């Protein structure tokens, strides 16, 4: 009986030590691997990175990391995290992973989180936990699920981009989209901030993950704010060239991590939540 008790005690102690180490690991990467200020720099052909310290009268402060992706440039591409089909046949479940893992294993130049998950509370936040997407994603033509309260940014097979203002998702989008990201609201439309799209119930300022496009110039913008209001974020995005865009999973889910060749390997903006969906930017020699 004593030997069993000792074994259980050691297992509990090992688990506690692992949890503490995991917490220290997360804290180090959040605060010890922040991006460093950087003027707009072409880190790869067709991929630009800008890192700035900003502040505003509305409480906005801290870093903003922007990755501009000219997706028509030879060698430049982007992709979403592959969807996982569950035993029930549905595609809207995902396994939480360490934020840096895809950057390390897939060689991304930059990575940003995408859709929110229902299981966002702290006690659900651990690696290999299964979670459920809120906003739909379309990955290589596969729709994760339907949800009526979403604005879809999508690309067809020829990488022509569209910001879909109508909701719910139309059959046309489902049939023609190759990539698609569900946004929580269209904060930027036709190059201007839309105050009506802002979430009045959201405590601000806050960490924000923002995804935008200039469909005509074929530019994708991934922008992460350490602490900003939605109005500041939208106006900043338009100043960088965003024509259409909006917020994806933010607060503790905000991540934009830079990869090799950027001069800021594994630096960026991170938060406490482990990674669910993501968009990764690649450069491969043409």
């Amino acid at each position: 009986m004593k030997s069993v008790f000792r074994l259980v005690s050691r297992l509990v102690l090992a688990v506690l030590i692992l949890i503490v180490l995991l917490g220290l690991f997360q804290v180090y990467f959040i605060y010890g691997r922040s991006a460093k200020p950087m003027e707009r720099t072409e880190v790869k052909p067709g991929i630009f990175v800008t890192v700035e310290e900003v502040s505003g009268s509305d409480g906005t402060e801290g870093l903003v990391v922007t990755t501009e992706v000219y997706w028509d440039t030879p060698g430049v591409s982007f992709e979403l995290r592959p969807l996982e089909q569950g035993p029930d046949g549905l595609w809207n479940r995902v396994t939480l992973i360490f934020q840096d893992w895809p950057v390390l294993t897939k060689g991304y130049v930059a990575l940003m989180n995408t859709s929110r998950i229902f299981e966002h509370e702290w006690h659900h936040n651990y690696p290999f936990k299964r979670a459920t997407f809120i906003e739909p994603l379309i990955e290589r033509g596969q729709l994760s699920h339907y949800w009526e309260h979403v604005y879809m940014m999508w690309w067809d097979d020829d990488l022509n981009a569209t910001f879909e203002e109508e909701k719910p998702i139309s059959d046309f989008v489902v049939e023609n989209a190759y990539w698609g990201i569900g946004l929580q609201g269209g904060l930027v439309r036709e190059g201007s901030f839309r105050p009506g799209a802002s979430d009045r119930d959201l405590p601000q300022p806050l960490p924000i993950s923002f995804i935008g496009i200039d469909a005509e110039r074929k530019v994708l913008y991934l922008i992460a704010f350490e602490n900003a209001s939605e109005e500041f974020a939208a106006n900043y995005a338009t100043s960088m060239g965003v024509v259409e865009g909006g917020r994806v999973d933010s607060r503790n889910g905000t991540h934009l991590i830079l990869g090799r060749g950027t001069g800021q390997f594994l630096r960026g903006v991170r938060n406490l939540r482990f990674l669910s969906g993501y968009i990764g930017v690649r450069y491969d020699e043409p």
Side-chain angles (χ1 to χ4, degrees):
M1 189 68 178
K2 288 183 179 180
S3 61
V4 173
F5 178 77
R6 287 196 196 97
L7 179 60
V8 172
S9 299
R10 288 173 181 172
L11 287 174
V12 170
L13 181 61
V15 169
L16 290 175
I17 292 173
L18 181 62
I19 291 172
V20 170
L21 290 175
L22 188 61
L24 291 173
F25 178 82
Q26 282 284 81
V27 169
Y28 166 72
F29 271 91
I30 291 171
Y31 298 105
R33 301 294 297 177
S34 293
K36 297 177 180 179
M38 177 179 183
E39 294 184 356
R40 184 175 182 267
T41 303
E42 189 171 20
V43 296
K44 297 287 185 182
I47 303 175
F48 295 80
V49 172
T50 307
V51 183
E52 292 186 287
E53 289 272 0
V54 299
S55 61
S57 58
D58 57 5
T60 294
E61 61 179 1
L63 288 176
V64 181
V65 180
T66 303
T67 304
E68 298 171 55
V69 183
Y70 291 73
W71 71 71
D72 221 20
T73 303
V76 173
S77 63
F78 61 86
E79 60 190 18
L80 300 186
R81 182 180 181 181
L83 296 175
E84 306 170 11
Q85 187 176 26
D88 54 6
L90 298 179
W91 295 85
N92 63 340
R93 299 278 288 169
V94 65
T95 302
L96 302 185
I97 56 176
F98 288 97
Q99 298 95 333
D100 298 84
W101 185 245
V103 180
L104 290 168
T105 58
K106 296 180 179 292
Y108 291 137
V109 178
L111 173 147
M112 173 172 270
N113 62 287
T114 54
S115 176
R116 291 179 297 170
I117 54 174
F118 282 105
E119 301 86 348
H120 63 273
E121 299 88 351
W122 68 268
H123 54 280
H124 290 298
N125 182 45
Y126 53 87
F128 313 117
K129 169 76 171 62
R130 294 282 287 173
T132 305
F133 286 127
I134 297 178
E135 288 84 23
L137 299 167
I138 300 173
E139 190 263 330
R140 292 180 172 86
Q142 175 64 56
L143 175 68
S144 62
H145 64 293
Y146 280 94
W147 193 58
E148 58 183 350
H149 304 294
V150 71
Y151 298 91
M152 184 63 70
M153 179 181 291
W154 62 280
W155 292 259
D156 64 17
D157 289 342
D158 296 321
L159 293 184
N160 299 304
T162 303
F163 183 87
E164 197 73 23
E165 191 170 10
E166 294 183 8
K167 34 179 204 180
I169 305 170
S170 67
D171 291 340
F172 179 83
V173 174
V174 175
E175 291 168 5
N176 290 277
Y178 187 74
W179 302 117
I181 301 171
L183 305 185
Q184 294 177 41
L187 291 173
V188 174
R189 298 304 319 278
E190 299 178 348
S192 299
F193 170 52
R194 296 296 177 91
S198 187
D199 187 346
R200 297 180 181 179
D201 296 326
L202 194 64
Q204 300 188 39
L206 73 161
I208 291 178
S209 293
F210 185 100
I211 296 181
I213 55 171
D214 180 335
E216 185 174 338
R217 295 169 57 228
K218 296 191 174 182
V219 188
L220 167 69
Y221 295 86
L222 307 179
I223 311 176
F225 299 83
E226 276 193 327
N227 198 44
S229 69
E230 288 188 304
E231 181 174 1
F232 185 97
N235 288 329
Y236 184 93
T238 60
S239 75
M240 298 299 287
V242 171
V243 178
E244 314 282 347
R247 180 167 48 83
V248 290
D249 190 19
S250 296
R251 293 189 276 192
N252 276 348
T254 298
H255 308 294
L256 200 170
I257 302 169
L258 302 174
R260 291 186 177 90
T262 62
Q264 303 222 39
F265 182 50
L266 297 187
R267 291 186 177 274
V269 172
R270 285 183 182 77
N271 278 272
L272 288 171
R273 193 165 335 136
F274 288 96
L275 189 63
S276 53
Y278 63 74
I279 179 170
V281 176
R282 300 184 55 86
Y283 179 78
D284 299 289
E285 290 288 344

